[in-house]
Structures are given as structure tokens and as C-alpha cells.
Amino acid sequence: MPEKKATTKKTESKKQDTKKVAPVKQEVKKQAAAAPNAAVGSTTEQKARIGVFICHCGTNIAGSMDIKEVQEYAETIPGVAFVDNYQYMCSTPGQGKIEKAIKDKKLTGIVVAACTPRLHEPTFRTATKEGGLNPFRFEMANIRDQNSWVHMHDREGSTDKAKDAIRIAVAKAALLQDLYPKSVPVEKTAMVVGAGVGGMQAALDLAAAGIKTYLIEADTSIGGRMSQLDKTFPTLDCSQCILTPKMVDVGRSPNIELMTWSEVHAVEGYIGNFDVTIRKKARGVLTPKEAEARGIVGGGCNGCGDCDAVCPVVKPNNFEVGMKPRKAIYINHPQVVPLIYTIDFTSCVKCGLCVTACGPEKRAIDLESKDEFVTVKIGTAILATGYDIFPIEKKEEWGYKRFENVITSLEFERLICASGPTGGHLVRPSDGETPKRVGFVLCAGSRDNTGTGKPYCSRFCCMYSLKHAHQIIEKIPGCIPYIFYMDIRSFGKMYEEFYYRIQDEGAKFIRGRVANIIEDKATKNLHVMADDTLLDRPIDMEVDLVVLASAIQPSADTNRTRKLFGVSCSMDGWLLEAHPKLNPCGTTTAGVFLAGVCQGPKDIPDTVASAEGAASAASIPIHMGEVELEPYFASCIEDKCAGCGMCVNLCPYSALSLVEKDGRTVMQVTEAKCKGCGTCGGFCPGGAIWMNHFTTPQIVAQIDAFLLGGEQ
Amino acid sequence: MSAPGNFTIPKRGPGIWQPKIIGLLCNWCSYAGADLAGGGRIQYPPDVRVVRVMCTGRLDALFVLKAFADGADGVLVSGCHFGDCHYLEGNYKAAKRMFMVKRLMKSIGLDDRRFRMTFVSASEGAKWGAVITDVVKTVNELGPSPLAEFNKE
């Protein structure tokens, strides 16, 4: 809104309300004068000469606003020395325009009105630097993502908004200062949180690249969800057979320090220098190494299982989805890595039978063990926290947990697996009979807009259900799988071919969402009620067993862990990547990366690929040896600091402290700890804190530029 | 939420008042959410102008008052959801200050509905559109700020 210049002085002292805030302006001027000299170059004294470059972004911007009008307006903004426009400012010629203009027009600051700083700020900073200016003398006006794209057909509105955005950016650019990023060394160690197939792959890659890696797993053994599976689609490889070599490699790698039954407790620091505190949950059983540390030579758990045999407490085995008993001292399955028993202290009665059974030589059991906390220093971290099964009993119409013969796919995996509770014999939970008709309900809780389930596609259920169909045809002659589907999403390499194969093998496909499942009380058989949308008729199919391809959701501890590392999540709870297409492994926290399903549903090949991507990304800062931190540090304007210490308590990073200087108490900033949030600066009652790149004069100038016209 | 094709463009012209609203946004959540709204082509009225800071914790209560003194008809502060702050707890501290501003506005007789603090995450593009639409609607209903009136000749 190009109001002409008159309003400047009027606000100063007109009315009572205005008076209340008028001091801000004077404050600002004083503060500018008193700013620490280190960062303030001599150029601040010099009159600002700003170059404004307006990008068309093809028709993305130019299609929704009048670029010519915006340019003509920009030329009238005080402080603007040069205005230009170009089809694509981010292209080489576009950047060349910036570089040339800096030299030719002796510019002191650059404004590019284009997309968003979150996309192209680095590009234009580099161009600014190439032109001979300090890269931090660049400011972006967002006229695409927050303007032309959201006011597509509102030409007048978006043109006016673009003019204001440029005026606001110019006001800031005029006050920008030379800043210099700080280089910090990077600790040559990494951490991977979660030891499923993704976490293991990431840790193995990092280890192979010569980086010491801590692999943290909350469960008692590694392998994650993949170790619970029987076969993998579409190759029908045995899941354990292809996973165990990796598990063994993890256990043996000299560069991997494996911590099972452990979780991240606290995270401090920043890229290159994280201090992570790990809670090692009380295990009750000593590893040979721990035993040796206690002076028990040749002792510690060797996995013999004598304790398991005598333990009187019986609990459901979570690894077998509760379908098999385990003792209070247990291992998940025979192939566990590491082969160390664990006491479940929530159920242990401390009878001491296991201690006797373990014997005086090994002395591996310590019933008094407590949680331990270890703090390690790492350079970068990868989160691979995986998924849980959506509690499908919430979809009451399918009767899970009400009807015995309705099971989830994960239960099916354990029942069909040779190492599972039934030795690989698929049976009906109600009577132990072999089913002859099995119904598979796809999209059970996925693609569900009712609010009960999940709106997203869980991505691998179609394929594993096809695999399940194959497995029952293979194992139980005469058994017919009925697959109730919405769409079969067989998107991967050789997946569609696998789909055809299962059709040829005799699986029956019924296109329709299952509305209801009813149990026959006498036979415990199930009636699956659906609407066959291809034949356009309702269906009532009697089957012996129903398998629900349940949706997946982020694992239970994901939310707590992500907050510790400062990683955001999307609306459905999956962790948020830095860019969905171009930076799917990165996060907005520098030095923290994502691998596998924690970022969104993925099958095994995609999980492994994403883990390798994350490992590669996480190894880059470590191999570079140092990283540059954005120089948005706070500093103290000592003349104005009263030494009250309010800011010291506000700082979430303990970066601030009070020191004695020339007989006065003033605040001091430890730059390495400061992350530049500005919480101190937003509060300081004396205006004594200078926030680089987001200084009070800069922000106030932006506010004034919008509301008063821009010539303050 | 309107698609670009069926979004009603606000009426403009002589005698139709346009509100001046400033949005102070944190870089990590709300600014990113606003960008996402752009990517999703979610249409909303163009009356809010945005100033980006790294964290809402950076915002001095005086910035909001300054905006009102300058004649802003509305001020929007938007940050991360509680517990999601990129800097751990900057948004809590901002919220405390902003509630103080609201109380002050009430006591001095400036309608506190002109000032709003919202929490929009980087994944909530649609919510951003809804928030802006509602902020603009509220300010439109309230009409020009009395301070802006004082500033006129």
C-alpha cells in the first residue's frame, strides 16, 4: 500500500497510547550506535544502496502480479539504487545480474523478491558473496510461496502485497551488517537411534566409512520389525536369513558400539558437538565385558538359558505378539544379537532361582541392577525409530480382540514362521484347526478418513498380503485366500509381476471395503460383509480366519525422542524431513538425519536405501572435519546491561552468564553455545542484547516500513 | 479451503477499507507452514504482511505495541506448537509475553482481538490458510484501529 511518505514524524508524540511506545524508536537509534563494534562494519555509516531483483519464476510469480508495476514502485523506495527483473533469478544469468550490479552500482545490500528464503537463501547469499559483498547483506522478499501462489487470481492484491514485501525487505537490507560464520570442529563419532534394518544399515555404513558409531536400541535385541517377519516380498527370501548376517556384522563391527535395552535420555549441543545422555535400562544380567569389569573373569552371560529354565514367572512374549509365553528372564528369539538375557523387572519376583542356576562361575545375574546413565559426544545423529502397528481394535466393526479368529498381519507372520509359536503351522486361534478359507482385509485402518484410522497409505500392506496369500497356497493345499482390497498398490520393482503371479496361483480378489465382520458363535467362523464394487453386489463370505492388514503408526517412543533432538513431525506423527523431495533424509536440525519408516511408511528396500542415504549425509560433516554455524549469535551491549541476569535464566542452552567487568556485572555470551533463537533479546528490559541478523533496529524498521511507508 | 479457481477475491476500490495486518512468524514452523500453504496453492486473503524471525521467543512485546502505534489494524504472532519449538521453549516464553500484551490491550481499551498468537507447524499449510482467513475476517469486522485513526490528519 504505497502511502506517500508523510507519516513518519506524526507517530512520535500524538496521543497518549502512542507515547507509551515512542521510546522504542529512540531506543533503537541508541542501540544502533551502541552496537558491538566487532560485527558492525564501517559500511553502516555509509548511505545504503540497495539492489532489488524481482524474479518472474516463469509464470509462477509473473502470472499473478504486475511485475512492471512492482518494479516501478521499487524504484521509488528510499535507499534503493538499482532495480531489475528476470525470468529466473536463481539461474546462472540471474545470479550473474546480482554479481554485476554489486560491482557496477556499488551496492551495499541485496534484496531478491522471489520464492522463499527456506529454498534459495543459500543460492543468493553465494551470489552476493561472488559479487564482493558479505553474504549476510542479502535479504529475501517472499513473493511466490506466500504471495503469488496463495493469491493466484487476485492480481491487485498480490501486486500490492509484493510492493510491501519488497519495502519491508529493503528496510531490513539497509541495516544489514557483515557477519562471519563460525567454524566449529566436528566430533568424529555418530549415533543411530533404533536398530531395525534401517538403523543397522546406517550404522554399518557409518562404521564402514571409518566412523565410530553408537547404535542405540530400546528393545533387548536388534533386528526390529524385520526380524519378526517370515518371508519378504516379492523374492520370498526368508527374512531372518537375509537379516541375521547384518545383525552379526553389527555385533562384530569394531566401529559399532551397540547399546541394547537403552534409550536416549537427553540431548545437548549442536551439529558436530552433541552431548547425548543414554539411559541404559536395568538389565539384571551382565555381559562378559561388564562381568570382567567387576572382576568376574570368564563370567557374564553366555546365553545358555539355564536361568530361563528355572524362572517361575510366565509372561506373554511381545516378540511373538503375545502368542507364546516367556519367562521374567528372557531372550526374544533364538537368533538374538546380542545373545544376552534380560530380566523384566516389572514382573520379576526376585526369587533368586536364576542366580543359583547361573552358577558361581558366570555370576551373570545381578538382581539389584539399576538404570545407568552414560553421556557420549557425537558429531551427527540418525533417527531410525521405526513403527508400531495401529491398534486395529479401534475399528470395532472388524472385531479384532472380540473374535478369536480375527488376527493382524504381524500375528500371521509369527504363526506362519517356522521359528514362531506354532512352528510354522498356520492355525485358527479358537480351535487350533488349519483354516481352509482365509480372508484378508486390506487398508485396515489405512486410507481411512473417518477419523478413527489413518488417512495415509501404509504402503507395504498390499504386497505383504499378496505374499501371505502365496504362503497359505503353498503351505496348505486347498486353502483359498480371499483378498478384500480397495486398490492393489504394487508399485515397486517386480511387484506388479508378483501380483499377477498370485492371481494365477488362485487367490481370490474382491474389490470392496469390508463393512463388517460377524462371528458365527457355534463354529467361530467369520462372515465378512462387503460390497463387491466390480460386480456391484453385496457379499457375505464365510471364512475360517480373517487377517487384518493393519495400518502402521510411528513407534511409541518416537515423539519423545524427536523432541530431544529438536525434530518436527508432520500432522500424522511421522518425522518431518527437511524437504520432501530434495532432502528426504535431513531435518531442520543441522546434524540430525532420518532413516527408514520413522519418516513415513516404507518397505524394506526403501528403508535400506533411505538408511544408506542418511548414513552418507551424516558422514559428510564428520569427514569434512568442521562445520560452519550461522552467525546469528546474541551479544551484550555492555553500556546498557544492568546485570539483572533475567536473560541468563531464559536461555535454553545455558549460553549466557554474568561476569564482572570494570567493576560492573554484565552478561556475557558463549558463542559456541548460542543457537541464535533470540529469546534473551526478546525479553531484555534494557534493550541490551544485540541479536545478529535479527537486531531490534532491523525488526522495528521492517514493522515501520510496512506501516509507515519505509523512509524512517 | 478454497482452490485457486473458486476463491472469492476480496472487493476493493474507493471507499472500501483494507486492513493493515502484520504477521511475525518463526522461521521453523509457521513460516515453513506458510510456505507449504503456497506449495499447496491454498488461497487466502492477501492482507497480512510477514516479518520473519528465527523464533517467536525473539519477539519483544514492544514490537507488537510498536506495530499498533504505527497504525496496524491487527498483529499476528505465529510460532511452533508447544513442545515443538526448534529452540526447545522459545514459544512458551513468547506466549507469556504475548498474553501480557493482550492483557495490556484490554486495560487500555484497544480491542485485544486485533492481536492474536497462533501455533502453526511446518506441516500445517491448510491450517495456515484458515488462520489467515480468520484473522483477516476478525480485523475486518473490528474495522480500522483507533490508533490508525489518531495518526490521520
Side-chain angles (χ1 to χ4, degrees):
Chain A
M1 268 148 253
E3 280 173 19
K4 286 295 164 192
K5 308 165 187 188
T7 40
T8 329
K9 285 290 155 193
K10 277 179 235 155
T11 41
E12 291 283 275
S13 60
K14 264 220 150 177
K15 293 272 171 183
Q16 277 242 312
D17 294 307
T18 332
K19 260 185 192 163
K20 280 179 186 165
V21 287
V24 177
K25 194 168 254 178
Q26 290 149 19
E27 203 89 324
V28 168
K29 281 180 186 146
K30 267 193 256 160
Q31 200 169 354
N37 296 323
V40 187
S42 55
T43 35
T44 13
E45 311 304 328
Q46 185 185 316
K47 207 170 172 303
R49 290 177 60 81
I50 309 297
V52 177
F53 299 85
I54 303 160
C55 180
H56 297 226
C57 198
T59 56
N60 277 318
I61 295 170
S64 298
M65 67 179 69
D66 189 336
I67 298 277
K68 191 160 165 273
E69 193 185 324
V70 174
Q71 168 155 1
E72 280 166 9
Y73 173 76
E75 280 160 0
T76 68
I77 301 172
V80 172
F82 179 70
V83 186
D84 201 354
N85 70 81
Y86 191 63
Q87 282 284 317
Y88 296 100
M89 279 310 298
C90 57
S91 66
T92 313
Q95 294 184 51
K97 276 178 179 289
I98 299 176
E99 291 162 29
K100 187 165 180 298
I102 293 173
K103 290 180 186 121
D104 293 355
K105 309 283 175 187
K106 301 199 167 38
L107 301 178
T108 64
I110 299 298
V111 168
V112 175
C115 44
T116 162
R118 298 177 67 261
L119 188 66
H120 269 316
E121 192 173 63
T123 317
F124 296 124
R125 273 191 182 161
T126 311
T128 307
K129 193 177 172 189
E130 292 293 313
L133 271 182
N134 183 285
F136 291 90
R137 286 180 169 274
F138 161 77
E139 175 69 11
M140 200 143 179
N142 187 331
I143 61 164
R144 191 190 73 176
D145 299 49
Q146 296 184 23
N147 189 342
S148 65
W149 277 354
V150 290
H151 316 304
M152 284 187 90
H153 301 302
D154 186 354
R155 210 170 165 80
E156 192 188 343
S158 58
T159 305
D160 280 350
K161 189 171 174 180
K163 290 176 186 172
D164 284 354
I166 292 173
R167 196 167 72 235
I168 292 169
V170 168
K172 177 154 181 186
L175 296 175
L176 287 174
Q177 302 164 331
D178 291 352
L179 296 176
Y180 301 92
K182 203 178 163 69
S183 274
V184 291
V186 176
E187 194 69 28
K188 291 206 175 307
T189 43
M191 173 175 285
V192 179
V193 184
V197 64
M200 292 195 315
Q201 184 64 50
L204 284 169
D205 283 9
L206 287 166
I211 297 164
K212 181 174 167 142
T213 306
Y214 295 97
L215 180 56
I216 314 297
E217 170 58 48
D219 202 354
T220 56
S221 62
I222 62 174
R225 292 285 169 211
M226 191 178 165
S227 64
Q228 289 178 283
L229 309 182
D230 180 39
K231 297 280 191 294
T232 57
F233 60 80
T235 52
L236 300 174
D237 283 314
C238 157
S239 184
Q240 282 277 7
C241 308
I242 55 175
L243 188 66
T244 28
K246 280 202 190 295
M247 286 161 56
V248 172
D249 284 351
V250 166
R252 287 205 181 129
S253 169
N255 274 340
I256 297 180
E257 188 164 336
L258 179 60
M259 293 172 159
T260 52
W261 205 232
S262 300
E263 57 191 31
V264 177
H265 178 73
V267 181
E268 273 179 27
Y270 48 92
I271 179 171
N273 300 275
F274 290 107
D275 289 303
V276 181
T277 306
I278 297 150
R279 183 161 80 96
K280 296 176 87 174
K281 292 181 268 187
R283 183 162 210 152
V285 179
L286 303 178
T287 62
K289 225 175 166 181
E290 287 165 346
E292 207 169 293
R294 292 197 187 183
I296 312 165
V297 182
C301 182
N302 64 2
C304 68
D306 292 347
C307 48
D308 188 325
V310 297
C311 180
V313 181
V314 178
K315 283 275 157 189
N317 185 341
N318 288 337
F319 182 81
E320 302 288 1
V321 208
M323 293 185 297
K324 200 177 177 179
R326 68 154 167 82
K327 300 297 184 60
I329 185 162
Y330 69 102
I331 51 172
N332 276 333
H333 58 94
Q335 287 143 301
V336 290
V337 174
L339 181 52
I340 302 290
Y341 274 78
T342 304
I343 297 177
D344 167 14
F345 279 108
T346 56
S347 55
C348 172
V349 292
K350 299 204 176 178
C351 62
L353 286 173
C354 52
V355 180
T356 322
C358 192
E361 255 115 73
K362 285 182 288 194
R363 280 192 278 163
I365 296 171
D366 173 12
L367 290 175
E368 300 308 316
S369 80
K370 293 265 171 325
D371 290 3
E372 284 172 37
F373 294 89
V374 202
T375 302
V376 296
K377 236 185 158 39
I378 56 161
T380 53
I382 295 175
L383 302 185
T385 49
Y387 68 92
D388 279 341
I389 302 294
F390 169 72
I392 195 64
E393 60 271 24
K394 284 190 182 169
K395 296 292 287 182
E396 289 174 12
E397 60 267 38
W398 296 324
Y400 180 64
K401 288 200 173 164
R402 280 195 292 138
F403 307 144
E404 286 175 81
N405 291 332
V406 176
I407 63 173
T408 66
S409 300
L410 196 60
E411 288 167 348
F412 181 93
E413 291 283 352
R414 294 316 300 159
L415 288 173
I416 201 93
C417 180
S419 67
T422 55
H425 296 287
L426 180 67
V427 294
R428 277 157 46 106
S430 67
D431 50 15
E433 292 293 321
T434 306
K436 287 289 181 189
R437 297 161 299 180
V438 181
F440 291 92
V441 179
L442 269 56
C443 296
S446 307
R447 305 176 67 194
D448 181 330
N449 289 326
T450 61
T452 317
K454 304 290 178 183
Y456 49 81
C457 166
S458 297
R459 275 186 111 226
F460 46 69
C461 334
C462 283
M463 290 309 295
Y464 72 55
S465 295
L466 294 178
K467 173 195 74 181
H468 290 170
H470 168 84
Q471 284 179 293
I472 57 173
I473 293 170
E474 176 186 283
K475 283 205 169 182
I476 309 170
C479 181
I480 303 172
Y482 295 94
I483 299 177
F484 295 85
Y485 69 102
M486 288 164 73
D487 305 282
I488 294 288
R489 295 190 164 173
S490 50
F491 53 85
K493 193 176 178 182
M494 299 301 286
Y495 288 9
E496 190 69 10
E497 291 87 335
F498 188 70
Y499 176 28
Y500 294 145
R501 176 181 167 186
I502 306 307
Q503 288 176 346
D504 289 342
E505 284 177 349
K508 304 289 180 213
F509 289 82
I510 299 141
R511 185 170 178 274
R513 187 153 210 167
V514 175
N516 202 2
I517 293 174
I518 297 167
E519 187 185 48
D520 183 327
K521 294 286 175 222
T523 59
K524 301 273 179 190
N525 285 350
L526 302 152
H527 289 269
V528 182
M529 324 288 257
D531 193 36
D532 188 327
T533 54
L534 295 180
L535 298 178
D536 197 15
R537 66 172 188 211
I539 281 201
D540 173 357
M541 175 84 65
E542 187 176 354
V543 293
D544 305 324
L545 183 71
V546 167
V547 183
L548 302 176
S550 173
I552 59 166
Q553 61 185 23
S555 63
D557 210 25
T558 301
N559 206 35
R560 190 189 63 87
T561 313
R562 78 168 175 89
K563 283 182 181 174
L564 293 175
F565 283 96
V567 174
S568 310
C569 66
S570 40
M571 277 188 282
D572 39 26
W574 302 109
L575 302 188
L576 195 66
E577 62 288 321
H579 190 284
K581 291 181 180 63
L582 303 178
N583 196 352
C585 295
T587 69
T588 48
T589 304
V592 180
F593 303 89
L594 306 176
V597 181
C598 66
Q599 182 259 339
K602 283 179 197 62
D603 57 8
I604 295 168
D606 286 1
T607 293
V608 173
S610 110
E612 299 208 277
S616 161
S619 69
I620 293 168
I622 292 177
H623 284 312
M624 290 303 289
E626 56 176 32
V627 285
E628 283 193 342
L629 301 182
E630 295 222 77
Y632 303 158
F633 310 119
S635 54
C636 178
I637 305 166
E638 287 170 6
D639 289 348
K640 300 173 94 184
C641 178
C644 68
M646 299 280 234
C647 51
V648 176
N649 295 329
L650 279 177
C651 179
Y653 305 108
S654 319
L656 313 182
S657 54
L658 289 178
V659 291
E660 290 292 322
K661 224 175 204 178
D662 307 327
R664 290 177 58 219
T665 307
V666 290
M667 185 273 278
Q668 195 178 47
V669 181
T670 311
E671 278 190 2
K673 286 186 179 175
C674 176
K675 290 197 183 183
C677 62
T679 304
C680 52
F683 185 77
C684 181
I689 291 172
W690 184 262
M691 277 309 306
N692 275 347
H693 214 66
F694 292 92
T695 65
T696 303
Q698 286 166 3
I699 295 171
V700 173
Q702 286 176 290
I703 296 171
D704 286 351
F706 165 41
L707 296 157
L708 301 179
E711 61 288 343
Q712 281 66 51
Chain B
M1 225 48 58
S2 290
N6 56 23
F7 179 76
T8 320
I9 295 166
K11 280 205 182 71
R12 292 195 190 85
I16 300 176
W17 172 71
Q18 301 290 321
K20 286 186 153 211
I21 305 169
I22 192 156
L24 304 164
L25 271 57
C26 88
N27 179 59
W28 302 101
C29 293
S30 291
Y31 198 88
D35 280 349
L36 189 72
R41 308 298 194 279
I42 288 161
Q43 306 294 298
Y44 53 80
D47 304 290
V48 179
R49 306 291 185 261
V50 165
V51 169
R52 179 176 70 116
V53 289
M54 294 313 274
C55 177
T56 48
R58 171 68 188 95
L59 297 174
D60 197 316
L62 294 177
F63 295 162
V64 179
L65 297 181
K66 177 73 173 113
F68 279 119
D70 283 356
D73 299 305
V75 176
L76 168 69
V77 168
S78 190
C80 308
H81 289 282
F82 288 138
D84 266 0
C85 176
H86 189 74
Y87 304 102
L88 309 176
E89 49 202 23
N91 52 355
Y92 283 100
K93 289 159 187 163
K96 274 190 173 175
R97 280 171 218 156
M98 298 312 150
F99 279 125
M100 185 183 75
V101 172
K102 268 195 160 283
R103 276 208 302 278
L104 174 71
M105 287 172 70
K106 270 186 187 145
S107 355
I108 63 174
L110 186 60
D111 197 313
D112 69 321
R113 283 174 296 172
R114 292 187 184 278
F115 172 57
R116 190 180 301 190
M117 181 165 187
T118 58
F119 309 95
V120 176
S121 83
S123 62
E124 293 175 331
K127 181 176 173 187
W128 178 251
V131 163
I132 295 291
T133 307
D134 193 54
V135 165
V136 172
K137 182 170 165 271
T138 310
V139 174
N140 259 320
E141 282 165 7
L142 290 168
S145 156
L147 289 172
E149 297 290 296
F150 292 153
N151 289 345
K152 283 189 184 151
E153 288 289 341

